[in-house]
Amino acid sequence: MSDESVFPTGDPTYASTYAEESAMVEASEIIASALERSGMSRAELARALGVSRSEITARLAGERNITVRKLAATLHALGQKLELSVVVTHDERLQNT
């Protein structure tokens, strides 16, 4: 058995892509949770935002790279407010400055 990981965790390109994908998944989970709490249907949310129901489905599936504005508007329509935060990760470049 090899000591190599299936994913190239030391590769900066991989780490960047992973961070992007993780953020998209998190955004879709935030929308899904807010939708559930609101009691609104996908169709009602689509009407409130002036988009198609399939657009809402795509956002919930993490298939749309929506802007921060669209994410905030989506949450606002669901009676929620977007709050952003930053988590510092262990990055060797930061440690060498």
Side-chain angles (χ1 to χ4, degrees), residues 4 8 13-14 21 25 27 33 37 42 44 47 50 52 54-55 63:
E4 286 187 34
T13 301
Y14 171 80
E21 294 299 319
V25 168
S33 178
R37 282 193 305 272
R42 292 179 185 195
E44 290 169 325
R47 279 192 297 279
S52 67
S54 64
E55 173 64 22
E63 296 170 359

Side-chain angles (χ1 to χ4, degrees), residues 3-61:
D3 287 340
E4 286 187 34
S5 173
V6 174
F7 300 105
T9 55
D11 178 4
T13 301
Y14 171 80
S16 176
T17 301
Y18 181 81
E20 292 171 14
E21 294 299 319
S22 293
M24 289 185 61
V25 168
E26 188 171 351
S28 64
E29 289 175 351
I30 288 168
I31 294 170
S33 178
L35 181 62
E36 186 176 327
R37 282 193 305 272
S38 76
M40 208 182 247
S41 70
R42 292 179 185 195
E44 290 169 325
L45 177 57
R47 279 192 297 279
L49 295 173
V51 300
S52 67
R53 188 176 182 281
S54 64
E55 173 64 22
I56 299 303
T57 298
R59 289 180 187 185
L60 289 166

